[in-house]
Amino acid sequence: MKRRKLIKNLTILPLSGAVVGSTIPFGTVATACTSSKIKRDIFRELGIRTFINAAGTYTALSASLMHEEVKDVWLASAEEYAVLDEVQDKVGERIAEMCHAEAATVTAGCFSALVLGMAGVLTGNDTEKVARLPDLTGMKSEVLTQKSHNWGYIHALKLTGIRLVEVETVQDVENAVNENTAMMWFLNDAALNGQISAEEWVALGKKFNIPTMNDIAADVPPVENLWKYNDMGFDLVCISGGKGLCGPQSAGILMGRKDLVSAARLSAPPRSSTIGRGMKVNKEEIIGMYVALEKYINQDHEAEWKMWEDRVAVIENAAKEIDGVSTEVTVPPIANHTPTLTISWDISKINVSGRDFISRLQTGDPSIEVRGGRNESIVITVFMLKPGQDKIVASRVREELIKAAVSQS
Ligand SMILES: *Cc1c(COP(=O)(O)O)cnc(C)c1O
């Protein structure tokens, strides 16, 4: 039976009362002795495909899995009520201390950290201005960005009503700054693409007394990046909670200057008449973010790196001996800084396109997600794998390569 059909049937079976494996039929009345023991297989019940994530921390693929410690506090914090601002205050203090920042707050992902941080810069503590956004009457309205940094998530800033002004050189910055310049934004991932370095960006901000913000969303590892840019002097730093930190994917952190972080919070929930009201994080995300950060900082990063290299080697070794296959391990310099394996093949020896190869891995059993490379290639990362999954990925990749090999008789 085809997997899809099988899944479909499985989702129907429980309704008819049949017990499949350890699944308890939906609607079964849990008795006192079973209630805490039986887990619903909710993905199977809903017919949702789950998979081995050999792609990376992609939002669309639900990014990362939370550690046991994070899940534990998530559940524990779901058991009690607390005043949301107090949760943010207490957690913010701890996070700030861990990251060498004056202040910090948990946001609904890095994107909302960008929005709220920008809002804080524009409004300061003026609640009338907070209520006026994205109408910038009475506020500064221009944000400087290097041309090579102006893409993707920078859209977050525009939610506040600001206008982006592109610059390329230090001279451009000197020319562009005026009384309307609200902030200078830096995209860490693009640091090597622009002419102005992070240090110079900070120095320019200080020279003209304009707040600087750095988006480091996907930029741990290395762990030092959690404080490097605060130490460097950026006024605000934004990071995702659900990428390398393996916290809740719906969380992120805004950290930096105390006055700016508290101004940013004026646009954040629970306050209602704000542009940020839809960016809610509850105590579970806030506390989960804190524990994820704590765990991340305290873990053995060298051992983790070695483990990633070992996993990559397992997959690489399974593929590279096959005639027509070549492999390469690289480490992206900034974002997603983790050993990354590219497997490419010669189409005359292995007759499958990269796209078809990916779909064969997706529809196989177990389903595996990898990224597409150029032409006949795939790209694999191992930092989101669960223990042992490297071997499964290795054998499935090898199997599909061999299956597609053209017999050279
Ligand atoms: C992922 C990402 C974001 C958005 O982060 P979320 O935590 O998903 O909101 C912002 N900026 C960059 C550079 C990113 O990679």
Side-chain angles (χ1 to χ4, degrees):
M1 207 184 294
K2 280 255 164 66
R3 183 179 157 81
R4 187 141 305 158
K5 201 166 167 210
L6 185 72
I7 288 171
K8 207 172 154 208
N9 286 348
L10 284 173
T11 61
I12 294 165
L13 277 172
L15 295 177
S16 65
V19 180
V20 183
S22 62
T23 310
I24 291 301
F26 177 72
T28 299
V29 179
T31 59
C33 50
T34 61
S35 59
S36 64
K37 297 276 182 269
I38 310 296
K39 284 200 176 148
R40 278 170 77 172
D41 188 345
I42 196 69
F43 286 108
R44 187 151 81 164
E45 201 177 291
L46 295 171
I48 295 169
R49 177 175 66 98
T50 58
F51 49 82
I52 291 175
N53 181 3
T57 59
Y58 289 91
T59 295
L61 301 181
S62 57
S64 58
L65 295 180
M66 295 185 284
H67 293 294
E68 286 304 317
E69 294 89 331
V70 179
K71 287 185 278 186
D72 284 350
V73 296
W74 180 290
L75 288 179
S77 52
E79 295 285 335
E80 300 290 346
Y81 291 101
V83 173
L84 213 47
D85 269 334
E86 188 184 354
V87 181
Q88 285 282 24
D89 288 344
K90 297 272 162 62
V91 166
E93 266 175 42
R94 299 280 187 100
I95 291 179
E97 199 179 325
M98 289 192 276
C99 298
H100 307 188
E102 277 177 25
T105 192
V106 176
T107 59
C110 182
F111 193 95
S112 101
L114 299 174
V115 178
L116 297 174
M118 183 75 248
V121 165
L122 293 166
T123 64
N125 287 325
D126 186 335
T127 50
E128 274 171 36
K129 287 181 178 169
V130 169
R132 205 177 302 147
L133 288 180
D135 170 358
L136 290 176
T137 307
M139 290 171 252
K140 296 178 178 179
S141 62
E142 292 178 7
V143 174
L144 302 190
T145 176
Q146 293 183 74
K147 199 171 180 181
S148 52
H149 295 219
N150 185 4
W151 53 272
Y153 301 93
I154 198 169
H155 203 80
L157 308 180
K158 297 189 208 162
L159 247 66
T160 63
I162 61 92
R163 188 172 71 82
L164 293 170
V165 177
E166 286 187 344
V167 294
E168 287 182 86
T169 62
V170 170
Q171 189 58 50
D172 288 348
V173 174
E174 309 245 353
N175 295 343
V177 165
N178 65 64
E179 69 282 356
N180 231 343
T181 310
M183 194 175 80
M184 293 172 58
W185 190 74
F186 195 85
L187 173 59
N188 209 47
D189 187 15
L192 303 175
N193 308 338
Q195 294 179 40
I196 309 173
S197 70
E199 287 90 345
E200 289 172 300
W201 198 251
V202 167
L204 285 164
K206 297 222 184 297
K207 177 175 172 185
F208 294 110
N209 199 24
I210 296 168
T212 48
M213 177 191 275
N214 194 2
D215 174 352
I216 65 163
D219 304 352
V220 293
V223 63
E224 301 81 48
N225 279 358
L226 287 169
W227 44 84
K228 178 177 173 182
Y229 302 100
N230 292 317
D231 290 345
M232 195 181 279
F234 275 97
D235 297 287
L236 289 171
V237 175
C238 308
I239 188 166
S240 291
K243 293 180 180 168
L245 292 175
C246 294
Q249 127 107 325
S250 49
I253 298 169
L254 172 70
M255 52 190 170
R257 254 168 57 189
K258 198 168 193 154
D259 60 325
L260 294 180
V261 172
S262 62
R265 284 181 60 186
L266 295 179
S267 281
R271 280 148 290 276
S272 56
S273 197
T274 66
I275 59 163
R277 180 58 179 82
M279 302 170 189
K280 182 154 71 178
V281 275
N282 202 8
K283 54 192 170 20
E284 292 83 3
E285 281 106 354
I286 301 169
I287 291 171
M289 184 71 259
Y290 162 61
V291 172
L293 181 73
E294 185 186 51
K295 172 167 173 64
Y296 182 74
I297 289 174
N298 293 324
Q299 74 196 30
D300 184 340
H301 297 278
E302 258 175 55
E304 185 178 55
W305 192 274
K306 173 81 174 59
M307 175 183 76
W308 292 340
E309 286 180 334
D310 291 347
R311 287 175 176 179
V312 162
V314 167
I315 302 168
E316 184 177 29
N317 289 337
K320 75 176 179 193
E321 301 304 336
I322 300 169
D323 188 32
V325 172
S326 55
T327 58
E328 187 188 15
V329 181
T330 54
V331 179
I334 302 179
N336 301 302
H337 180 75
T338 170
T340 303
L341 171 66
T342 301
I343 300 175
S344 337
W345 55 92
D346 177 347
I347 193 81
S348 71
K349 293 189 170 161
I350 295 173
N351 188 21
V352 58
S353 69
R355 189 184 287 239
D356 284 347
F357 198 90
I358 289 169
S359 103
R360 287 174 196 181
L361 291 178
Q362 281 169 337
T363 54
D365 186 14
S367 178
I368 298 170
E369 288 283 348
V370 300
R371 273 191 300 154
R374 242 183 257 155
N375 304 323
E376 288 74 46
S377 71
I378 54 169
V379 180
I380 287 175
T381 67
V382 297
F383 67 141
M384 291 298 123
L385 296 181
K386 296 183 196 174
Q389 290 183 332
D390 49 334
K391 294 188 184 65
I392 301 172
V393 173
S395 84
R396 280 290 299 131
V397 167
R398 184 180 167 81
E399 187 177 29
E400 289 298 338
L401 285 170
I402 289 172
K403 235 192 262 177
V406 177
S407 61
Q408 306 279 317
S409 52

